[in-house]
Amino acid sequence: MTRAVSQSGLPESTRRLLGVTVLLTQLPLLLHLPMWICLPGTLLVLWRIIPSLHNRLTLPTLIMTPLVLVGAFAIVMHYGHIFNRDPCVAFLFLLVGFKYLESNSRHDASLLVVLSAFLLMTQFFYWQSIAAAISSIPAIFFIGLSLFTLQRGYAITDIRFMVNITAKLLLQAIPIAMLLFVAVPRVTSPGWGEGTSGNGGATTGLSSRMSPGSISELSKSDAVAFRVEFQGRTPTPYDLYWRGPVLSGFDGRDWFILPRAKHNTFTQTQSSNATPASRLNYTVTLEPTHNPWLPALDAPASLPVRITRNNTRETIAAITEEKQLDSLIKLTRPVRYSTESVITDRFFANAIPGAEYLLTTERNPKARRLATEMRSTYPDDAVLANQILRMFNQENFSYTLSPPKLQGDAIDDFLFNSRSGFCEHYSGSFVFMMRAAGIPARVVTGYQGGEINDNYMIVRQSDAHAWAEVFIDEQWQRFDPTAAVAPERIEQGIGEVLRSEGRNAIAQLPLVKALQLKWDKVNYTWQSMVIGFDSDSQSEMWQKLGLQKPGALTLVLLILAAVLVWIALILAPWSLLRRDRSDLCQLQWEKLCRSFESRGIARHNGETAEAYVVRLTEHWPIHKNTLGQLLAAYHAGRFGKDSEDAAAQKRYAGLMRDARKQLNQF
Amino acid sequence: MLSGQQSQPHHDHIGDVIAQLDHLVVGKNTQIKLSIATLLAQGHLLLEDLPGVGKTTLARALAATLGFTWNRVQFTSDLLPADITGLSIFDVARQEFRFHAGPVFTSLLLADEINRAPPKTQSALLEAMEESQVTIDGNSYTLEQPFFVVATQNPAEQLGVYPLPESQLDRFLCCIELGYPNVEAERVLLTGGDRRQMVDNTPAMATLDDVRNWQTQTSQVTTAAPVLDYTQALLQTTRQMASEGACANGLSPRAGLSLLAMSRAWAFIHGRNMVLPDDVQAVFTSVAAHRLTGSLKQGAPVTREILNLVDVA
């Protein structure tokens, strides 16, 4: 029997429910899309669901179509193209709003719910953290509730009952979702392209260019750069210089990477002060950087190897002669690699450094003059370097996260005028002066320190640092001018500095700090267990189960079988297994109770058959006679004199079944 | 045709009895049916209520309608056992003891304010109720059946009462409360004629044989296994609630028997020859409440909760 459903409109309550659903799915994307798309996209929905407006107005196609076209045109203008991740998501966002406005039939509404579900998924293009997953739960719930409401049509239903059933259905779906997550083959690289990194937050990080102020800007970010697990001893943060881009190029103001030949084989790091004890093995889980460098402790002693769980070792980086690790893979997703380093502050160079390490340009004459003067006083390279550090330490230099903007010749202005700066100022000036004194030198950027959290270490963007490497005695030796001016930065980490400057005062409170670390732990687990569950982990799982990786058909059959078993377990009437199965009338009665329960009227515990039937009759007066017959047969078959007689019971059960069939026809 | 309609003629007859009682005791249909059910289940009735709400009228109406002889004993604190059972007196003319039967030798005994009498007197009555016989000076005198005691009891909070102990409360199959009449019934009472006169002028609607016959038929009403299951579940729940402190005692097996007997009688009154869970539910409070807590007032919420709790299978 198909119920006559009017095609000319949805009940107002259903419409509002749909509106809430659409809004909830739009919500997470508000963080990722430009404001001019978010605003109209959500207003289109809000406009209809605010009850006081009471507008049943729908836009006629004549107006709607041009509006959609204008939206599409604006998106193309904004992004420059349409067939890419970001413009597509933006367009979908708008379309869902328009679709809601014109949804008037159940068919439209179903389509809208499916679109919303898809829209909800798109937020994971931008954000795959556990917070994103948790924040999508309400939307998922409302999607389920909307679908259920549409399916019920105009049947009499109680909202509490609907909510209960939806929650139950979603809970029952969890094992199936987990099975699909684990069993369906993982896509190695996402098929939607990487998108233009836009405002996804992935751009925070070291860059190929360092200008005064760029690292202090970075230091304000609390974002995690990478996490490290050490095999064996955990070194003290003091020792940890994470080597990133090496900046040898200089244009008078900015330092930048010079293109270098890459070596894919490793020449052993040789150092005058390295001992076997200073070798260190560790595993890095790097957040997406969208840049081609892999951080490694100074100095790298092997090439990083991607950790795959089935023991295939894949080298994912090449090393330049400046010991900068250039990634061979795109770092658009978190990557996990293990590598080895020698903790040392000096290593022998493979070749005599060229003239580019002496380049100072024509600018900054005062600094150059100072360097020449000092050079004439201190002919020894090492002594000269230490004298400059002493100058930073003893003269009126200060270390600050918010240095004043430098004018004209930046290094001159810093050394002789402002005298307050962050690590990039000190390392840049130091390298400049060494070069001016005729000693090859370069700036190395990376991270310094880290925070121990339980069994791993967190390195944040705020740990970003820049130091100097000077070629003395055939070795590249590390000098950290920041340590000369602000030793606490190196000894106690950046947190001390931030605290003393009154920044992040709240974040530095012990309780907040502890919570933050706990949360990071959860995130790290999520990162490695869920996000990191790739095709390698999957094949390892199959191996552990003692199975070959199943073929497509086998897999489909396996999943189907498992899902069917689960559904059977859910549907199995446990009450019947417990009870005496021979009582046919009781079986019929329980079937009746279940069918009416699914129509929203459940029998209470202490409610007798008669009382229940009376209540049902109040809701469905047309069934009065049928229900009465059914009740009489039930009473006679279960409680009467004949209830012990199998044949009589069968007869009464038959009567009940007939009555039930009559009921079901409505 | 469904079985269960052989008792139809008797049922009609019972219907007449109840209709007449309804006419005499206005607005108390449930209580009237419970009283009749108690009689058919061969039990005794305890009325727990304030004075003046019609307890005596109900008892007299019952006696008159059923054609019972009846006696009334007003229990007081100086009432002696012999005042109920009777005694042997020396007959000087015949030079022998002659037994003078007490008020208990009747079909319906109205024991008014039973908890005003001292325990010794109470137990004399309770022995008669339980054994249907009276022993005086070594001689046993059997009471004629049916023997139906309607006792009234003042709420325990009132002064000068000897509350019935649990073991004796257990002898009363059913405990009901009349309560104040509703507005319409009260208007009828206030404007109608003298109830006592109405009762006196009432013709009997049944004979003692009828009643005995009904009692036999009541005991033959089918009690199927699911109903026994349900009853057991109820008993079990009362014991559990007693252990949790929700009521003073759980129900005894005797109380379970009483519950089933009452349920059968209730089914019989409604023209059925099988007990439904509905019947058990209908009589549960009147059978169980006074046994659970010692008084109907305190027990009723507990029984209602139990009925909501236990699944009707």
Side-chain angles (χ1 to χ4, degrees):
Chain A
M1 289 319 96
T2 50
R3 193 188 301 269
V5 174
S6 75
Q7 292 293 315
S8 61
L10 295 161
E12 203 52 28
S13 58
T14 310
R15 173 176 292 288
R16 245 172 241 143
L17 179 65
L18 282 172
V20 174
T21 308
V22 171
L23 274 183
L24 280 175
T25 56
Q26 286 179 331
L27 208 59
L29 283 164
L30 298 186
L31 296 171
H32 309 296
L33 292 179
M35 188 53 95
W36 69 266
I37 291 174
C38 297
L39 221 54
T42 45
L43 282 182
L44 282 173
V45 182
L46 269 178
W47 186 51
R48 280 297 292 266
I49 61 171
I50 295 176
S52 59
L53 291 184
H54 265 306
N55 44 58
R56 286 161 188 279
L57 193 69
T58 45
L59 288 182
T61 323
L62 215 60
I63 301 178
M64 183 92 88
T65 314
L67 272 181
V68 173
L69 287 177
V70 166
F73 182 70
I75 287 171
V76 173
M77 291 304 289
H78 182 86
Y79 289 99
H81 42 78
I82 185 102
F83 292 110
N84 201 326
R85 186 191 70 186
D86 294 340
C88 279
V89 170
F91 194 46
L92 182 65
F93 188 91
L94 273 185
L95 278 189
V96 167
F98 279 116
K99 184 72 200 169
Y100 175 69
L101 212 55
E102 70 151 21
S103 288
N104 258 331
S105 66
R106 274 174 69 179
H107 175 262
D108 280 343
S110 311
L111 186 64
L112 178 68
V113 173
V114 174
L115 278 179
S116 303
F118 188 65
L119 186 68
L120 183 65
M121 291 300 109
T122 58
Q123 68 154 316
F124 293 105
F125 290 156
Y126 303 94
W127 202 34
Q128 304 180 344
S129 70
I130 193 166
I134 291 173
S135 68
S136 63
I137 289 176
I140 291 175
F141 181 81
F142 268 82
I143 286 173
L145 193 59
S146 301
L147 281 177
F148 190 35
T149 309
L150 292 174
Q151 186 262 329
R152 302 291 297 183
Y154 290 90
I156 304 168
T157 31
D158 169 30
I159 186 68
R160 276 224 323 259
F161 167 77
M162 305 277 287
V163 168
N164 280 346
I165 293 284
T166 309
K168 212 161 122 187
L169 284 174
L170 286 177
L171 287 180
Q172 285 168 348
I174 287 176
I176 299 181
M178 282 168 70
L179 175 73
L180 292 177
F181 176 80
V182 171
V184 169
R186 314 297 297 174
V187 186
T188 335
S189 67
W192 51 81
E194 303 300 348
T196 50
S197 50
N199 48 0
T203 44
T204 42
L206 295 173
S207 77
S208 59
R209 214 172 172 86
M210 180 182 89
S211 56
S214 63
I215 291 186
S216 49
E217 205 48 51
L218 193 56
S219 278
K220 292 168 188 164
S221 162
D222 242 359
V224 173
F226 52 92
R227 298 179 177 87
V228 194
E229 288 164 66
F230 292 97
Q231 278 93 55
R233 72 188 174 95
T234 303
T236 50
Y238 179 84
D239 286 336
L240 300 181
Y241 281 82
W242 301 95
R243 195 178 183 87
V246 179
L247 312 179
S248 312
F250 182 58
D251 65 1
R253 180 183 172 87
D254 292 0
W255 298 87
F256 50 90
I257 295 182
L258 286 179
R260 294 280 163 195
K262 287 171 193 167
H263 305 283
N264 230 340
T265 51
F266 206 88
T267 47
Q268 204 44 257
T269 299
Q270 289 186 338
S271 161
S272 58
N273 67 349
T275 59
S278 60
R279 293 187 92 82
L280 205 58
N281 281 305
Y282 53 93
T283 304
V284 177
T285 308
L286 182 67
E287 295 291 316
T289 64
H290 298 272
N291 275 321
W293 316 291
L294 298 178
L297 273 177
D298 219 2
S302 76
L303 288 176
V305 169
R306 170 139 61 174
I307 310 288
T308 57
R309 280 165 235 199
N310 52 359
N311 290 334
T312 54
R313 301 180 68 80
E314 181 196 359
T315 303
I316 54 162
I319 190 159
T320 65
E321 60 185 85
E322 293 175 325
K323 292 200 184 290
Q324 168 187 312
L325 293 171
D326 284 355
S327 174
L328 301 174
I329 56 173
K330 277 196 162 186
L331 298 178
T332 50
R333 281 149 57 83
V335 64
R336 209 170 140 78
Y337 58 87
S338 71
T339 186
E340 188 186 25
S341 289
V342 178
I343 307 296
T344 175
D345 63 352
R346 60 197 63 193
F347 52 86
F348 287 102
N350 297 328
I352 301 295
E356 67 272 23
Y357 292 108
L358 292 168
L359 183 72
T360 53
T361 73
E362 296 302 315
R363 299 175 64 179
N364 302 305
K366 285 159 85 178
R368 199 188 333 253
R369 200 174 320 123
L370 176 66
T372 336
E373 281 167 15
M374 289 181 82
R375 173 90 241 192
S376 56
T377 322
Y378 307 104
D380 185 75
D381 292 353
V383 174
L384 174 62
N386 284 322
Q387 279 306 318
I388 296 175
L389 294 183
R390 185 188 298 259
M391 175 184 85
F392 285 149
N393 181 258
Q394 294 187 344
E395 291 186 23
N396 189 22
F397 283 93
S398 67
Y399 181 70
T400 173
L401 259 177
S402 38
K405 215 166 162 60
L406 298 176
Q407 311 287 330
D409 287 342
I411 291 175
D412 275 3
D413 192 27
F414 169 66
L415 283 177
F416 300 102
N417 192 11
S418 81
R419 296 204 149 191
S420 62
F422 201 59
C423 56
E424 68 266 32
H425 300 86
Y426 288 98
S427 59
S429 318
F430 182 76
V431 170
F432 179 88
M433 286 185 65
M434 292 315 283
R435 286 186 176 189
I439 308 170
R442 61 196 182 196
V443 173
V444 183
T445 57
Y447 300 88
Q448 199 280 324
E451 185 174 19
I452 305 280
N453 189 19
D454 209 358
N455 56 351
Y456 65 97
M457 176 176 277
I458 308 169
V459 179
R460 299 176 191 281
Q461 298 297 355
S462 53
D463 294 316
H465 192 48
W467 59 92
E469 259 177 2
V470 186
F471 190 74
I472 298 174
D473 298 339
E474 310 291 300
Q475 290 187 97
W476 285 105
Q477 299 193 17
R478 177 168 68 223
F479 286 83
D480 190 350
T482 310
V485 66
E488 72 277 3
R489 159 69 182 90
I490 309 304
E491 281 159 18
Q492 291 157 30
I494 188 72
E496 271 317 298
V497 179
L498 293 172
R499 202 195 323 261
S500 66
E501 296 218 348
R503 282 174 195 271
N504 278 346
I506 293 171
Q508 298 297 327
L509 292 176
L511 180 69
V512 178
K513 195 83 198 153
L515 284 176
Q516 215 175 21
L517 289 180
K518 277 270 179 297
W519 178 238
D520 189 83
K521 180 110 185 155
V522 172
N523 253 320
Y524 184 43
T525 315
W526 171 264
Q527 191 82 268
S528 48
M529 302 294 287
V530 180
I531 308 288
F533 187 81
D534 53 11
S535 53
D536 294 326
S537 339
Q538 203 169 33
S539 36
E540 187 205 21
M541 176 196 75
W542 291 121
Q543 264 175 12
K544 267 191 190 159
L545 290 176
L547 297 170
Q548 284 300 310
K549 196 175 175 175
L553 186 66
T554 331
L555 195 63
V556 168
L557 289 179
L558 265 179
I559 292 176
L560 263 182
V563 169
L564 284 180
V565 166
W566 174 239
I567 291 176
L569 279 178
I570 292 172
L571 292 182
W574 293 106
S575 53
L576 295 191
L577 293 181
R578 262 192 291 114
R579 292 231 175 95
D580 183 8
R581 297 201 66 116
S582 62
D583 200 335
L584 296 170
C585 289
Q586 183 64 13
L587 287 184
Q588 289 292 329
W589 173 250
E590 281 170 7
K591 278 184 187 167
L592 176 96
C593 290
R594 270 199 301 279
S595 80
F596 278 102
E597 189 179 339
S598 73
R599 295 184 206 185
I601 301 187
R603 190 177 70 83
H604 309 314
N605 236 3
E607 196 171 28
T608 61
E610 190 162 348
Y612 187 43
V613 164
V614 166
R615 204 152 60 91
L616 292 180
T617 313
E618 278 166 17
H619 279 87
W620 287 281
I622 44 164
H623 296 333
K624 190 171 184 215
N625 288 336
T626 322
L627 284 169
Q629 286 162 15
L630 197 146
L631 182 69
Y634 175 58
H635 279 162
R638 184 153 170 83
F639 303 110
K641 209 157 51 183
D642 302 344
S643 60
E644 303 291 313
D645 175 6
Q649 204 185 83
K650 205 168 169 184
R651 200 173 70 242
Y652 288 122
L655 287 173
M656 286 178 77
R657 193 176 48 243
D658 294 345
R660 274 204 316 114
K661 274 187 187 151
Q662 271 187 49
L663 291 178
N664 286 341
Q665 281 173 6
F666 287 94
Chain B
M1 266 332 228
L2 299 175
S3 53
Q5 294 176 359
Q6 292 121 356
S7 59
Q8 206 64 32
H10 301 290
H11 166 248
D12 283 348
H13 200 171
I14 280 206
D16 293 343
V17 170
I18 291 172
Q20 177 163 330
L21 284 167
D22 265 341
H23 180 62
L24 296 172
V25 185
V26 185
K28 297 290 168 205
N29 181 265
T30 311
Q31 285 87 340
I32 288 167
K33 285 198 283 190
L34 283 169
S35 314
I36 296 287
T38 311
L39 170 66
L40 297 189
Q42 306 184 36
H44 304 282
L45 179 67
L46 182 63
L47 292 173
E48 183 183 291
D49 226 326
L50 297 163
V53 290
K55 287 175 296 197
T56 315
T57 311
L58 174 65
R60 295 181 52 146
L62 277 169
T65 308
L66 294 166
F68 280 11
T69 57
W70 72 286
N71 279 325
R72 173 183 173 161
V73 180
Q74 177 68 46
F75 279 46
T76 54
S77 55
D78 55 358
L79 193 75
L80 296 174
D83 294 334
I84 296 171
T85 56
L87 70 169
S88 300
I89 295 174
F90 190 72
D91 188 333
V92 181
R94 295 196 184 185
Q95 290 291 304
E96 64 178 11
F97 280 97
R98 280 191 58 187
F99 178 63
H100 286 252
V104 76
F105 289 88
T106 183
S107 291
L108 191 152
L109 178 70
L110 173 59
D112 233 346
E113 301 191 89
I114 187 172
N115 55 348
R116 289 211 183 274
K120 199 173 176 185
T121 314
Q122 287 176 358
S123 49
L125 173 66
L126 293 165
E127 188 213 342
M129 284 162 58
E130 189 68 14
E131 315 289 340
S132 285
Q133 67 174 24
V134 181
T135 310
I136 294 155
D137 299 338
N139 297 321
S140 290
Y141 304 90
T142 310
L143 300 175
E144 195 193 353
Q145 287 300 322
F147 172 62
F148 185 38
V149 174
V150 177
T152 72
Q153 168 173 260
N154 289 331
E157 309 88 68
Q158 291 202 346
L159 292 174
V161 296
Y162 300 91
L164 290 172
E166 278 92 6
S167 62
Q168 303 199 345
L169 276 174
D170 205 22
R171 310 286 162 101
F172 287 98
L173 185 57
C174 178
C175 175
I176 60 179
E177 159 187 62
L178 287 175
Y180 297 114
N182 62 29
V183 180
E184 294 147 38
E186 187 152 36
R187 176 58 66 95
V188 173
L189 285 174
L190 294 176
T191 58
D194 182 12
R195 292 281 135 188
R196 184 169 306 228
Q197 210 158 19
M198 275 176 74
V199 170
D200 287 344
N201 298 336
T202 296
M205 301 292 290
T207 61
L208 289 187
D209 278 337
D210 282 337
V211 173
R212 279 193 283 266
N213 195 6
W214 289 337
Q215 286 181 336
T216 318
Q217 287 188 37
T218 294
S219 64
Q220 287 164 356
V221 169
T222 308
T223 315
V227 174
L228 295 177
D229 289 343
Y230 181 52
T231 306
Q232 280 187 303
L234 289 174
L235 296 181
Q236 201 52 51
T237 310
T238 63
R239 288 161 200 166
Q240 199 182 329
M241 292 192 82
S243 74
E244 286 163 7
C247 53
N249 346 69
L251 290 183
S252 64
R254 178 162 62 192
L257 285 173
S258 305
L259 179 58
L260 285 174
M262 264 308 264
S263 305
R264 278 194 285 269
W266 191 261
F268 180 75
I269 289 177
H270 290 86
R272 262 185 276 108
N273 70 343
M274 58 185 168
V275 178
L276 298 180
D278 302 82
D279 301 322
V280 182
Q281 290 194 347
V283 301
F284 184 67
T285 297
S286 60
V287 172
H290 64 292
R291 297 175 212 251
L292 290 177
T293 58
S295 100
L296 182 64
K297 272 217 170 55
Q298 292 165 26
V302 182
T303 58
R304 252 189 314 251
E305 193 189 335
I306 292 173
L307 287 180
N308 284 331
L309 209 67
V310 178
D311 191 15
V312 186

